[in-house]
Amino acid sequence: MKIEKKKTSSGLSVPDRVTIPYIEGDGVGAEITPTSQDIVDAAVKKAYGGRRSIEWKEVFAGEKSFERSGNWLPDETIEAFREYLVGIKGPLTTPVGEGVRSLNVALRQTLDLYVCLRPVRWFRGIESPVKEPWKVDMIIFRENTEDIYAGIEWQQGTPEAARFLQFLTGEMGVTRVRFPQTSSFGVKPVSAEGTERLVRAAIRHALAHGRTGVTLVHKGNIMKFTEGGFKRWGYALAEREFSRELAEGKIVVNDVIADAFLQNTLLTPEKYSVIATLNLNGDYISDQLAAMVGGIGIAPGANINYESGHAIFEATHGTAPDIAGKDIANPSSLILSSVMMLEYLGWNEAAALITRAMEQTFMRGEATGDLARFMPGGKTLGTRAFGKTITELI
């Protein structure tokens, strides 16, 4: 059965028997996706005694899709995510420098999934390169449709780049392109509307989860009209729509320059709770914070449109073709993204079972090799064995 967006109030109408479309993913996707699904099924069964269940509906994208149909991202896949509202995906191949543009970006743009939601927290038992990883507990709201992800670029040496250069110099009076004839060009759109809906979602999340601080992270000291606009529009939105909450101290909105923020998160991470930022900043921030709590292998993520209700949860790492098929891939990112999905559905009891079982596994010094090698006396488990251990603890 399908999930529906409530017409009269915020939230979703979720049936007890729900269909979730999923993309298995390329590379290690064939290993981490079934492992994650088994864990989710076990948690849902344990939490609800059979009253609730998930029917997994496979849809195709990436290399597996191309091999089947010659299409990297079939229309049927996009329509399935559009129809069923909530889905999940493994990692997809993103060719570097040429070929098909990122499939992940295509899904986000097509469904207007304007929030890339990245929670970052430390699990007991995980070794970290920082002294006090337990102080890292942040939720990143990264804008997903503008900035560099708009994909507006012209390659050096092409007629399009030459025309754009002519426009810049001839019509706009730009004289600061240092090497004009050998430059590629990109456009960085940042809008008031895009900023407002992102900051609104971040503030609403903070209020709903008892987090009082929302920090706007930007580079507005240099990019005064794009990232500076993000700062100004974000503050204006907060003052216009959340004036009472601000006055009552239920929420505090501040801002910080992106490079200072990256330093501050290493020195005083406890000062930050909910982060609202643009796309490129969010990319850097998400990966640095993930490294502080154990690495990208345990970093979950989601792409969400809070107005339409559409959401795709995903593994945040790559396809890792060098280890595919060796039963050594870490499925934690996709497992924790599944936890986020369950929470989005309102199935918090099942989500909590998975989180608790994962932390128990880590505290026993058991993990896949990428994590176990840093644990004192750590025991390395294969992908399937790691999933089985979590399932048994559930």
Side-chain angles (χ1 to χ4, degrees), residues 267-379:
L267 299 174
T268 55
E270 68 276 11
K271 289 186 177 181
Y272 301 105
S273 181
V274 177
I275 312 303
T277 191
L278 289 164
N279 186 273
L280 184 58
N281 297 330
D283 206 358
Y284 300 148
I285 289 166
S286 297
D287 283 8
Q288 176 186 293
L289 294 179
M292 292 167 64
V293 296
I296 195 73
I298 56 170
N303 304 286
I304 302 173
N305 183 317
Y306 286 97
E307 281 73 45
S308 69
H310 286 100
I312 298 179
F313 299 81
E314 64 180 354
T316 60
H317 53 73
T319 59
D322 55 322
I323 63 170
K326 297 181 180 180
D327 192 38
I328 60 175
N330 184 356
S332 296
S333 174
L334 192 58
I335 294 168
L336 290 171
S337 295
S338 300
V339 169
M340 292 177 67
M341 182 187 74
L342 291 170
E343 292 171 342
Y344 188 70
L345 298 178
W347 295 10
N348 296 310
E349 299 84 358
L353 286 173
I354 297 174
T355 302
R356 186 163 55 246
M358 281 192 72
E359 191 156 41
Q360 288 174 344
T361 304
F362 294 143
M363 289 176 64
R364 287 168 25 169
E366 298 179 354
T368 49
D370 58 317
L371 299 177
R373 59 182 172 160
F374 298 115
M375 298 173 172
K379 178 182 178 182

Side-chain angles (χ1 to χ4, degrees), residues 142-183:
R142 171 190 174 195
E143 209 290 322
N144 226 2
T145 63
E146 299 189 316
D147 195 9
I148 62 166
Y149 265 40
I152 305 172
E153 291 186 301
W154 296 280
Q155 187 175 9
Q156 176 268 336
T158 63
E160 292 79 9
R163 289 174 60 189
F164 188 73
L165 175 62
Q166 177 58 41
F167 170 74
L168 288 178
T169 57
E171 297 190 36
M172 301 302 293
V174 173
T175 60
R176 296 188 303 274
V177 181
R178 182 60 59 88
F179 301 107
Q181 301 306 319
T182 58
S183 291

